[in-house]
Amino acid sequence: MLVSQNEKSVTIAMPIEPRYFGMFTTEGNQKVAAIVEFAKANGAEWENVLPMLNNLALSNPMYREANDTVVREMTYDACQFTSDFYI
C-alpha cells in the first residue's frame, strides 16, 4: 500500500492486481508481468521478449505454458508492439 499525505489530504493507493497473461497460476502471471515491465522500461523489441518467455517456460515445468500462443499474444499486446508477431 502506498500512502501519500499533505496538509489537506491523505491518498492511499492499493496495489493493482497483476494482469492476466494466460498463465495457469498467479505466480506465472506475475513472472510474465515482470517480463512486460522490463521490456517496457528498457525499450525491448518483440524479438528480445520471445526468448525471455522461452527461458521462463524452460526454467520450471510450472511455467511451461509461457510458450503458448495465448501467453505470447497477451504479452505482445501488453508491450504494445507493432512489429510482426510471427518472427
Side-chain angles (χ1 to χ4, degrees), residues 49-86:
V49 174
L50 277 174
M52 293 179 202
L53 291 173
N54 188 53
N55 289 340
L56 176 60
L58 296 173
S59 71
N60 186 326
M62 190 171 131
Y63 306 132
R64 72 183 85 168
E65 70 273 14
N67 277 332
D68 289 353
T69 303
V70 69
V71 176
R72 291 183 317 209
E73 287 175 344
M74 294 177 107
T75 302
Y76 180 93
D77 288 342
C79 290
Q80 301 175 339
F81 291 128
T82 57
S83 59
D84 191 9
F85 179 79
Y86 296 102

Side-chain angles (χ1 to χ4, degrees), residues 31-61:
K31 298 279 187 186
V32 176
I35 290 172
V36 169
E37 292 306 314
F38 176 84
K40 286 179 163 183
N42 292 285
E45 299 294 331
W46 183 229
E47 62 195 25
N48 308 120
V49 174
L50 277 174
M52 293 179 202
L53 291 173
N54 188 53
N55 289 340
L56 176 60
L58 296 173
S59 71
N60 186 326

